[in-house]
Each structure stands twice: as C-alpha cells, then as structure tokens.
Amino acid sequence: MAPGAPFGDAPIIPTRSGRAPWTLRRRLVVAVVGLLALVSLVIGVVSVAILSASLMDGLDQQVKSAAERSSVFFGGGRPSGDFSIPTPTANDVLNGPSQPPGTLALVYDGSAVTAGYTDDTGAVVDLSNDQVTLLLTELDSAVQEGTTSVPFSVDLGGDVGEYRVLAQAARTGALYLVGLPVSTVTGTATQLALIIAIVSLAGIVLVAFLATAIVRLALRPLQRVTATATRVSELPLDRGEVSLVERVPAADTDPRTEVGRVGSALNRMLDHVDIALETRQASENKVRQFVADASHELRTPLASIRGYSELTRRSGQELPPDAIHALGRIESESVRMTGLVEDLLLLARLDEGRELEREPVDLTRLLVDVVSDAHAAGRDHSWDLDLPEEPVLAAGDGPRLHQVFANLLANARVHTDAGTRVQVALTVEGATAVVTVTDDGPGIPENLQETLFERFARGDSSRFRGTGGSTGLGLAIVQAVVLAHQGEVSVDSRPGRTSFRVVLPLA
Ligand SMILES: Nc1ncnc2c1ncn2[C@@H]1O[C@H](COP(=O)(O)OP(=O)(O)OP(=O)(O)O)[C@@H](O)[C@H]1O
Ligand SMILES: [Mg+2]
C-alpha cells in the first residue's frame, strides 16, 4: 500500500487549498503521539522542578553547616566578650575541618580581603579581582539588609559558575562569606531531565509504531468496504440486463461497530439499486416488446393495403386520373411504411440482444451487389469500387450487413447532388475488414454530427423530408447492426468529403 493511501489505490482528492488532506490513520497516530509527548513533557518539567527545589534546600542546609563550621575561626563557641583572636584568612577557613571540595570563602576584616575556593583535589584557588568585588558587594548589601542567615545565589561566571552563599558578620567585627557550588544541584537535575527525555522519546517511538499498526488493523474492515464499493463502481450498469451481486462481506456489516454500520448501509443501498435496475430493465423490456409486437402486427395489414391498391390499379377498369394518382400514393406510402416498420422491428430485435446469424459472409461479393444496386438507382452519380485481390470473409449475418452498406450508399446518393463521386473501398487491417464509403458531396451539417447515429436523427435540409422519403433510421440501423457484430462505425465529414468507416471482425 502506498503511503498516504490507506484504502488501496483510490486517488486522494486534494482539498480546496490544493494540499492532500490527512488520512484518518495519520490523524489518529499523530494525536496519540502528540498527547503522549505532552504528558511526558509535563511529567518531566514537574519532576525536575520538584527535584531541583529539594536539592536546593539540601544545598542551603549544607551552606549553613559550612558557615557553622567556619564560625569557629571567628570566635564562635567562645565565651562572649573574648574577641582577642586574630582575624583568619580565607585559606584558614577553607582548610578548616571537613569542608567539602568546591567550598568558597571570603573574609573581610575591614581593610584586607582574602577569598578563594577549593578545587576537586582540595587545593585552594584564588578568585579574580572582579569576582572578589562582586562578592564583597553582595556581602555588603546582605549585611546592610540584615539577611545574613539567608543563603542566596551569586553567579561568578567563567569556570567558577554559580554559588549558593551565606553572608555572616562575626562578633570580632569581621565580615565573611561561605558558599557551595550550585553545579551539583543543576548537574543532578540535568541528568534527571535527560533520563526522562530519553525514556519518553523511546516510549513515543514505540507508541507511534504500535498506534500505526493498531489503527491499520482497525481500519482493515473499512478497506474491504471500500473495495466492494470500488468493484460496484466498475460494473457496467448503464445498459442491458445487469445483476448487482457485489455485497460487503457479512463480517463487516455488524451494526454494533462503526465500520459495520457503513458496510450494512452500503449493502442496503446496493439492494435498493439492484431492485431499481431490475424494475427499469423490466419496463424497458416491456417497451421493446411492445414496439416489436406492434411492428410485427403492422406488417400484414400493410401488405394487404399494398396488394389491394396494386390490384385495383391494374384491374384494367377505367379509373379517373385522380383515383389513379391516389392509388399510386397509397401504394408508395405503404411501401415506405413497410420499410419503416421493418426498420423498427429490426432495431427492437437488436435492442433485445437477439443473436444474429454468425457465418462467413463474402464482403467482396456483397459490396459488388450493393454498389451495382446503387449504380442502378443513382445514374447521376459516379460509383467506384476498390476491392482487394482475394475475397474477404467477415463473420456475420449476410442480409443485415447488406442492409448496412445499402443504407450508407443510399445516403451517399440521396443526400448529395447529382454528379457526386462515391468511392467504396474494402481493405483488411489485422483481424478486421475495413469498408469505407466516401463521397465528395456537401458533407453532414456540423450540428447533426454528434447525434448522427441516433434514431430519427436527420438533416433539416433533407430533400426528402417534405415528401416523406427520409426517416432518420438508416444510420441508427447501421450502428446497431455493426455493434451487434462487435464492429465499429465512425464518420468523418466536412464540406466536400464525407467518409463512413465500418470495421468488422474477419471470419
Ligand atoms: N453521405 C452523406 N452526405 C450528407 N449528409 C448525410 C450523408 N449521410 C447521412 N447524412 C445526413 O445524416 C442524416 C441521417 O441519415 P440517416 O441515414 O440516418 O437518415 P435518412 O437518410 O435521413 O433517413 P433513412 O436512411 O432512414 O431513409 C441524413 O438525414 C442526412 O442529413
Ligand atoms: Mg439514410
């Protein structure tokens, strides 16, 4: 299955903006993954915040303990009033008992400042002048504000980084400051954040795969429903006897599921359409049967009319000229009507799909006959016949094929002016015989060409319309007979050249 096309090869219809819309599968997977990412993010942020806060509390306690330990150098623990001890340096404080590596100290006795911090090995590292100035300012403001027992953060920049420090004023008058690096806290918090991120990411990837698989599995019944609908859409339902047997499989029509409801609705619709098609076909058959029956029934009375009028005309009795004219008209009209009825009957039978004869028909001989008939009927036209050396045999019904070419030649005769040249040619192309009937007459009017092969389609300028010589069934019969032979008929017409081309399968 192509990505983005979860339901077979159905084309994805672009939205109005021109971009293909998201498939249901993609939307569900993205929603699940997005929600999981959001929840993971919230859990991560909250966890890291709580941990940082609690570690910071711990650090503050450690800073306080460090300050406590350092107070010994500033007369802490001695009886009050005994201030005869010398002010220590930062080095003394840092090398004092159980001060952890990283400890920072600054001592200010009113005139001199000493400051430094221990590195990982325990060696004392001096601070730069800027850093000392910064710490002094902080120390001063803490003493001014009286917040000497509250640890606060100072960013010393560079390799030293951020420190949590506690400012103290000794009873000896010295001011001092002890601190511990915040990096221990941030390191642990960063580690936790990293672990949460990695675990969440792995979880999200896993969930994305699982969700894709689950959604695909869940949508599979919908795919089967789609397949059924697609198969139905490919059925030829437009004509003839059709049976709509395609249905969604019973397993996908359980109305307790969403897809099942779609499936059963589709099945109900197919039942409905099937019944409608059957009804339509039945009524169509009835109409056809009626036309065939009516045409058949009309043949006998028409033959009688013709017979009696002919008999009367030839009886030898003296008849007034008007009566003779009227009888002639009755006779010719009944001949025309017989032709019309025969055409209708033939069309009705072809519509019913009644099988035609299927035997080898010698097209060469058939065309020779048809052209010589046309020649006899149309002496004012010139007739050409171009035949191959070998006889060409088509599989079909001789009299019907005769009618096809007779109709085409009659058209070339009656719808063109005297002196028109008509060329009939027969060739073999692959497994088909091709007959072309070409004339250099006025051509078929543009507006008629589209409906040319429809029943009762005829040109307005038809010279025979008034006299009733043209019915517009000729080409309809040509097409119906040729199609019943699994052949093809086409026309190419412009003023000065009209060419009909009939393709028939060889015997
Ligand atoms: N060779 C042609 N040249 C010019 N017009 C043509 C030609 N063949 C057909 N037509 C036009 O096509 C119309 C339809 O032809 P069709 O054979 O179906 O009916 P018809 O000839 O009018 O009547 P029918 O053949 O039933 O007596 C004609 O009325 C005519 O206008
Ligand atoms: Mg005709």
Side-chain angles (χ1 to χ4, degrees), residues 280-496:
R280 188 213 63 187
Q281 188 60 29
S283 80
E284 211 169 274
N285 285 348
K286 231 184 263 174
V287 173
R288 271 198 203 123
Q289 191 60 45
F290 172 74
V291 174
D293 290 349
S295 312
H296 189 75
E297 290 304 319
L298 283 171
R299 282 162 128 187
T300 322
L302 277 172
S304 305
I305 293 171
R306 203 170 69 209
Y308 278 114
S309 59
E310 202 177 330
L311 195 71
T312 316
R313 194 163 52 81
R314 292 185 179 173
S315 62
Q317 289 178 19
E318 273 295 316
L319 288 171
D322 278 0
I324 290 178
H325 174 74
L327 282 174
R329 291 290 301 138
I330 291 172
E331 220 181 296
S332 69
E333 283 301 288
S334 61
V335 167
R336 192 175 96 78
M337 200 160 164
T338 307
L340 183 59
V341 163
E342 292 292 343
D343 285 353
L344 286 175
L345 186 59
L346 174 62
L347 280 172
R349 288 189 171 157
L350 288 172
D351 282 349
E352 274 173 13
R354 201 173 285 193
E355 279 296 307
L356 292 172
E357 294 279 331
R358 281 262 153 184
E359 48 197 30
V361 178
D362 186 348
L363 285 182
T364 324
R365 264 194 59 191
L366 191 144
L367 287 177
V368 169
D369 290 350
V370 179
V371 172
S372 56
D373 289 352
H375 185 65
R379 295 242 165 238
D380 299 335
H381 289 62
S382 71
W383 302 91
D384 283 353
L385 179 57
D386 187 3
L387 294 173
E389 299 287 316
E390 300 289 312
V392 177
L393 297 181
D397 187 321
R400 298 285 86 86
L401 288 178
H402 186 281
Q403 198 171 353
V404 165
F405 298 115
N407 282 359
L408 289 178
L409 291 186
N411 281 351
R413 178 167 52 85
V414 301
H415 301 301
T416 60
D417 299 321
T420 300
R421 187 166 168 214
V422 185
Q423 285 171 297
V424 181
L426 170 62
T427 50
V428 173
E429 286 178 17
T432 57
V434 179
V435 181
T436 53
V437 178
T438 312
D439 67 64
D440 57 2
I444 298 167
E446 192 95 12
N447 58 358
L448 183 64
Q449 291 198 12
E450 235 167 69
T451 55
L452 191 63
F453 292 99
E454 281 174 19
R455 285 156 204 199
F456 299 109
R458 54 188 170 179
D460 277 341
S461 59
S462 188
R463 286 180 284 146
F464 294 87
R465 179 160 248 193
T467 60
S470 165
T471 59
L473 284 180
L475 289 177
I477 287 179
V478 167
Q479 190 182 46
V481 171
V482 171
L483 288 182
H485 280 84
Q486 273 81 49
E488 278 169 34
V489 57
S490 57
V491 64
D492 173 36
S493 177
R494 59 188 128 89

Side-chain angles (χ1 to χ4, degrees), residues 173-195:
L175 298 177
Y176 68 99
L177 195 144
V178 180
L180 284 171
V182 174
S183 61
T184 51
V185 172
T186 48
T188 312
T190 312
Q191 221 169 351
L192 178 71
L194 209 69
I195 289 170

Side-chain angles (χ1 to χ4, degrees), residues 248-299:
V248 176
D252 298 328
T253 56
D254 188 338
R256 286 169 299 180
T257 66
E258 288 88 345
V259 175
R261 279 199 284 280
V262 174
S264 74
L266 185 65
N267 276 358
R268 278 202 305 280
M269 188 189 86
L270 289 176
D271 288 343
H272 188 64
V273 171
D274 195 21
I275 292 170
L277 286 175
E278 263 169 32
T279 318
R280 188 213 63 187
Q281 188 60 29
S283 80
E284 211 169 274
N285 285 348
K286 231 184 263 174
V287 173
R288 271 198 203 123
Q289 191 60 45
F290 172 74
V291 174
D293 290 349
S295 312
H296 189 75
E297 290 304 319
L298 283 171
R299 282 162 128 187

Side-chain angles (χ1 to χ4, degrees), residues 56-371:
M56 210 55 136
D57 275 354
L59 188 67
D60 284 356
Q61 285 309 320
Q62 285 175 28
V63 173
K64 280 180 186 159
S65 317
E68 194 80 25
R69 285 194 295 275
S70 312
S71 67
V72 179
F73 297 103
F74 300 93
R78 288 170 191 243
S80 57
D82 181 6
F83 301 136
S84 57
I85 50 161
T87 305
T89 64
N91 262 17
D92 297 333
V93 174
L94 291 175
N95 291 324
S98 52
Q99 296 289 32
T103 308
L104 175 140
L106 179 139
V107 180
Y108 177 59
D109 64 359
S111 55
V113 184
T114 53
Y117 67 93
T118 49
D119 64 9
D120 291 343
T121 61
V124 176
V125 183
D126 283 339
L127 288 173
S128 72
N129 281 342
D130 287 349
Q131 290 166 335
V132 172
T133 318
L134 177 66
L135 284 175
L136 265 180
T137 326
E138 295 287 344
L139 176 61
D140 192 44
S141 60
V143 172
Q144 297 293 321
E145 288 162 22
T147 54
T148 42
S149 53
V150 185
F152 58 91
S153 296
V154 182
D155 192 356
L156 295 174
D159 291 342
V160 189
E162 196 177 347
Y163 263 80
R164 198 75 179 158
V165 295
L166 189 67
Q168 298 275 274
R171 279 179 294 175
T172 56
L175 298 177
Y176 68 99
L177 195 144
V178 180
L180 284 171
V182 174
S183 61
T184 51
V185 172
T186 48
T188 312
T190 312
Q191 221 169 351
L192 178 71
L194 209 69
I195 289 170
I196 291 179
I198 290 172
V199 171
S200 304
L201 213 67
I204 286 172
V205 170
L206 186 74
V207 164
F209 274 112
L210 285 180
T212 309
I214 290 170
V215 172
R216 179 176 293 176
L217 214 63
L219 289 181
R220 202 162 276 178
L222 201 53
Q223 220 167 311
R224 289 194 289 266
V225 173
T226 312
T228 306
T230 309
R231 280 199 301 277
V232 171
S233 72
E234 283 160 359
L235 290 177
L237 298 177
D238 55 338
R239 75 180 92 98
E241 207 84 50
V242 289
S243 67
L244 202 55
V245 288
E246 287 290 350
R247 289 292 183 279
V248 176
D252 298 328
T253 56
D254 188 338
R256 286 169 299 180
T257 66
E258 288 88 345
V259 175
R261 279 199 284 280
V262 174
S264 74
L266 185 65
N267 276 358
R268 278 202 305 280
M269 188 189 86
L270 289 176
D271 288 343
H272 188 64
V273 171
D274 195 21
I275 292 170
L277 286 175
E278 263 169 32
T279 318
R280 188 213 63 187
Q281 188 60 29
S283 80
E284 211 169 274
N285 285 348
K286 231 184 263 174
V287 173
R288 271 198 203 123
Q289 191 60 45
F290 172 74
V291 174
D293 290 349
S295 312
H296 189 75
E297 290 304 319
L298 283 171
R299 282 162 128 187
T300 322
L302 277 172
S304 305
I305 293 171
R306 203 170 69 209
Y308 278 114
S309 59
E310 202 177 330
L311 195 71
T312 316
R313 194 163 52 81
R314 292 185 179 173
S315 62
Q317 289 178 19
E318 273 295 316
L319 288 171
D322 278 0
I324 290 178
H325 174 74
L327 282 174
R329 291 290 301 138
I330 291 172
E331 220 181 296
S332 69
E333 283 301 288
S334 61
V335 167
R336 192 175 96 78
M337 200 160 164
T338 307
L340 183 59
V341 163
E342 292 292 343
D343 285 353
L344 286 175
L345 186 59
L346 174 62
L347 280 172
R349 288 189 171 157
L350 288 172
D351 282 349
E352 274 173 13
R354 201 173 285 193
E355 279 296 307
L356 292 172
E357 294 279 331
R358 281 262 153 184
E359 48 197 30
V361 178
D362 186 348
L363 285 182
T364 324
R365 264 194 59 191
L366 191 144
L367 287 177
V368 169
D369 290 350
V370 179
V371 172

